[in-house]
Amino acid sequence: MRTGTRTALAAALLLAVGALPTPAVAATPDPTHVDGRLPSGATYLMDVPADWNGTVLLFSHGYNPGPANPAQNSPGDATKALLLQRGYALIGSSYASAGWAVTDAVPDQLATLSAFTERFGAAARTIAWGQSYGGLVTTAIAERHPERIDGSISLCGLVHGGVANWNNTLDPVFALKTLVAPDTDLPLVNLPDQQSAATAADALTAAVDSAQSTPAGRARIALAAALHNIPGWNQPAQPRPAPTDWDAQQAAQYEALKGLVKFPAFSWRQEAETRAGGNMSWNTGVDYAKLLGRSSVRKEVTELYKKAGLSLKADLTALDRAPRIGADPDAVAWMSGTSSFTGRLAKPQLSVHTIGDALVPVQTESALKRAVTAAGSASRLRQAYTDNAGHCTFSPAEQLAAVDTLEDRLAAGRWIGTDPDSLNRRAEKADPTTPTRYVPYRPAPYPRPYDLAHPADGR
């Protein structure tokens, strides 16, 4: 056959092959997305993949001051995409109200789970999980409605409970008012409205800013931060201070403390007091020298006091002699009954925390462990820690590792691989593109624990 003929024949063959239909590549169907509204007025989100693996993840979102109040069903878009790829159904509600909404959040989350079952059928496995304030909501579900779930995960959660939270929020601002704003008459509790809360926050912030300009003021700010266990590395964008770089640690605490004053100590407190019907925290009978002795940053405080030529003993005496704040018993009863914990876990719970959290310090995990141990549920709890600064700054890999660890516990009937190396291996396998930072860690004691396993404690 001549060359020209062979070339023409080959070209014709290629054209014929190109004209043949191309086998279709199976596209992954989009998840079924559902927006809905509950009778309470709360909205909810559901995302269910076509190849649903039978497990539903009920996500409780963090504290939302409002007025916008959107529903959430995952910690973030990147984690959501990875979980949907793995076949998980993701659901969660907005809660019917913003703020300290536990009395709305728990029933709305359970109603969302019921709505899911009505539409998609019963799940083979249900895991409740949540972050920050949503960790409190999740733990409330785990303790009070264990029949609705198979296990739970708290991420950077307020697992110390409501009374402990508001007591420990009071301590640093009490120290600031006493030591850096002694001539002011600003209220710390019983705030009548948001305007009064904002005015008080602005006045105390101005005093803190002024104090930061002197060595004595910086030492006193460090003392106030120590009473809340605010770490010296608490934002991912901050360079990590050296272990004995007291000045750099204090500078980071100063910024975090101003954030606490601006929102939780006044604005968020006022909203919670309105729900509770009064002031739900106290410092009557509190020994602040003892609290400082338990703090994870006490060494920094003593060094900064020495550097300033200031008497730490004298300032602790001033705190001891300052007029104390008593609580409204009915408000304490409301906060205790709705937002504190017994420690009784009927189902497994994994609680995960960053070690550099200023808003919900890692020591909250000590308070949870104390309650769970007293209630005889220690075998059902595991706690893990990531070496990062900030509140809820987990990577998608670390979040998926937590889900996988609880899934393994539920499948095997016992905890498997809860050590940092195993958690990091799970994280790297789940998402090799984001950090894996689980580390061995033991938090200091929580400064002022309060739980229903120790009903007479906390004063």
Side-chain angles (χ1 to χ4, degrees), residues 182-389:
D183 298 325
T184 61
D185 192 29
L186 58 91
L188 301 182
V189 299
N190 293 315
L191 302 158
D193 51 44
Q194 282 293 306
Q195 182 55 55
S196 64
T199 299
D202 288 346
L204 192 55
T205 298
V208 171
D209 284 338
S210 178
Q212 184 67 11
S213 65
T214 68
R218 291 192 289 273
R220 287 167 170 153
I221 289 169
L223 171 57
L227 299 178
H228 194 67
N229 266 322
I230 294 176
W233 181 51
N234 55 65
Q235 288 297 326
Q238 297 168 344
R240 190 172 195 161
T244 58
D245 190 346
W246 314 121
D247 292 329
Q249 292 176 36
Q250 191 277 338
Q253 291 169 327
Y254 158 66
E255 294 295 341
L257 198 56
K258 287 206 300 180
L260 182 143
V261 169
K262 185 175 181 180
F263 293 114
F266 291 98
S267 176
W268 299 356
R269 170 181 287 280
Q270 192 277 331
E271 191 274 337
E273 285 185 345
T274 299
R275 288 181 182 270
N279 169 38
M280 58 282 174
S281 54
W282 66 88
N283 66 355
T284 50
V286 172
D287 183 340
Y288 282 110
K290 185 176 180 180
L291 258 61
L292 177 61
R294 293 176 178 174
S295 175
S296 59
V297 294
R298 61 189 179 276
K299 178 65 173 175
E300 173 209 339
V301 175
T302 59
E303 292 300 322
L304 288 174
Y305 266 80
K306 288 178 185 177
K307 183 177 180 179
L310 195 63
S311 171
L312 178 56
K313 182 178 180 180
D315 274 0
L316 290 170
T317 299
L319 290 178
D320 187 51
R321 292 176 177 173
R324 296 304 181 93
I325 295 169
D328 179 333
D330 290 340
V332 174
W334 184 91
M335 188 61 66
S336 180
T338 62
S339 309
S340 295
F341 300 123
T342 65
R344 291 192 291 272
L345 291 173
K347 304 290 176 64
Q349 181 172 45
L350 176 64
S351 190
V352 186
H353 226 108
T354 55
I355 66 172
D357 193 337
L359 183 62
V360 184
V362 66
Q363 287 76 23
T364 59
E365 298 294 337
S366 297
L368 174 64
K369 186 175 182 179
R370 170 182 182 265
V372 168
T373 300
S377 300
S379 65
R380 297 189 179 96
L381 175 69
R382 288 295 183 273
Q383 294 166 296
Y385 304 95
T386 62
D387 186 24
N388 197 30

Side-chain angles (χ1 to χ4, degrees), residues 417-428 436 438-440:
T418 57
D419 60 283
D421 287 344
S422 296
L423 287 162
N424 284 325
R425 283 194 294 271
R426 286 192 185 97
E428 289 165 5
T436 57
Y438 283 99
V439 292

Side-chain angles (χ1 to χ4, degrees), residues 13 29 34 62 96 119 149 170 184 216 257 261 282 338 407 413 430 448:
L13 182 61
V34 179
R119 178 153 186 161
I149 65 172
L170 175 63
T184 61
L257 198 56
V261 169
W282 66 88
T338 62
E407 287 269 44
R448 284 221 274 156

